[in-house]
Amino acid sequence: MALVPCQVLRAAILLSYCSILCNYKAIDMPAHQTYGGSWKFLTFIDLVIQAVFFGICVLTDLSSLLTKGNDSQEQERQLKKLISLRDWVMAVLAFPVGVFVVTMFWSIYIYDRELVYPKLLDNFIPAWLNHGMHTTVLPFVLIEMRTTHHQYPSRSCGLAAVCTFAVGYILWVCWIHHVTGVWVYPLLEHLSPGVKIIFFAAVTVIINIFYLVGEVLNNYIWDTPK
């Protein structure tokens, strides 16, 4: 794919995420006023991750165009750092977290939407915004993977970073329950303490699997065996 179309595509995706975030934050939902606000929801955290990632992508594209034909070694070094940051965020956060949010949300939604997205939310969140948060994330991140080769970190470092994120979010959810007495997701209300531990462990394993899927898919698309 040509450079300019990729730039335009990334800029359009970034603008769409900014629009989704602005519209979501403008919604006057009771959950936004409680402890943790929007930051207790993985969907919102993922939207921020995706917006930051595509912001880095757009910044990288602009820097690449500005330094094209420039012999400045310092600018070249800074560009390489930016590309490394872009690739790391894609590998460790944007792809595994994005795919996890989409697959887990719709899997539980199809089984029993009240466990993850109660029908009451339809009064606050329009259908297009719901799909912007829980559907388009997947094609957007797949488009980015298809149009740009990303250098993955070593597998041990990548998995360690993904585990850190997963465990950190799980501890955050448990802390919110400790403070408020209410679980962020209705699903957790129906699980016994032992089953919750198994569930949290399974969630951590799944997000690590998605990291590996991203690595394999990236190498397959760009024919770069590890």
Side-chain angles (χ1 to χ4, degrees):
M1 211 175 218
L3 178 61
V4 173
C6 289
Q7 288 180 315
V8 173
L9 188 59
R10 292 189 187 103
I13 292 175
L14 174 60
L15 290 175
S16 72
Y17 276 123
C18 291
S19 175
I20 291 169
L21 281 168
C22 289
N23 279 276
Y24 178 75
K25 291 298 290 182
I27 296 174
D28 185 20
M29 284 199 307
H32 290 175
Q33 313 305 322
T34 57
Y35 185 82
S38 303
W39 292 98
K40 58 179 169 283
F41 301 113
L42 185 59
T43 292
F44 179 77
I45 294 173
D46 177 51
L47 287 175
V48 174
I49 288 172
Q50 301 299 330
V52 169
F53 168 67
F54 279 99
I56 295 172
C57 287
V58 170
L59 184 59
T60 302
D61 287 338
L62 290 175
S63 298
S64 179
L65 287 174
L66 291 174
T67 57
K68 192 174 183 181
N70 194 324
D71 295 330
S72 173
Q73 293 185 351
E74 177 61 22
Q75 288 184 346
E76 187 69 24
R77 188 172 66 85
Q78 294 300 326
L79 177 60
K80 286 181 179 179
K81 284 185 178 180
L82 198 56
I83 291 173
S84 295
L85 176 62
R86 179 201 67 187
D87 292 350
W88 188 90
V89 175
M90 172 66 172
V92 172
L93 295 174
F95 186 89
V97 178
V99 175
F100 177 84
V101 166
V102 173
T103 55
M104 288 296 290
F105 174 82
W106 287 112
S107 297
I108 299 174
Y109 185 98
I110 291 171
Y111 174 73
D112 184 357
R113 67 169 293 177
E114 294 299 318
L115 296 176
V116 67
Y117 192 81
K119 193 160 184 155
L120 176 66
L121 292 179
D122 290 342
N123 298 323
F124 299 95
I125 303 176
W128 73 266
L129 186 56
N130 179 30
H131 285 292
M133 297 188 298
H134 298 115
T135 305
T136 58
V137 174
L138 182 58
F140 283 168
V141 78
L142 288 176
I143 288 171
E144 170 60 23
M145 180 169 281
R146 178 62 185 86
T147 56
T148 306
H149 173 253
H150 297 274
Q151 184 66 44
Y152 268 60
S154 66
R155 184 166 292 178
S156 58
C157 290
L159 291 175
V162 172
C163 280
T164 300
F165 174 85
V167 173
Y169 180 70
I170 290 170
L171 292 176
W172 171 229
V173 169
C174 292
W175 174 253
I176 292 173
H177 176 262
H178 172 73
V179 172
T180 66
V182 178
W183 288 104
V184 174
Y185 303 102
L187 168 67
L188 297 173
E189 301 281 359
H190 302 278
L191 304 180
S192 66
V195 176
K196 280 189 182 74
I197 294 174
I198 296 173
F199 176 78
F200 289 143
V203 162
T204 304
V205 170
I206 290 171
I207 200 169
N208 275 272
I209 290 174
F210 285 141
Y211 170 85
L212 295 174
V213 169
E215 181 186 56
V216 171
L217 186 59
N218 180 72
N219 291 337
Y220 173 77
I221 291 173
W222 297 98
D223 193 23
T224 54
K226 199 73 173 172

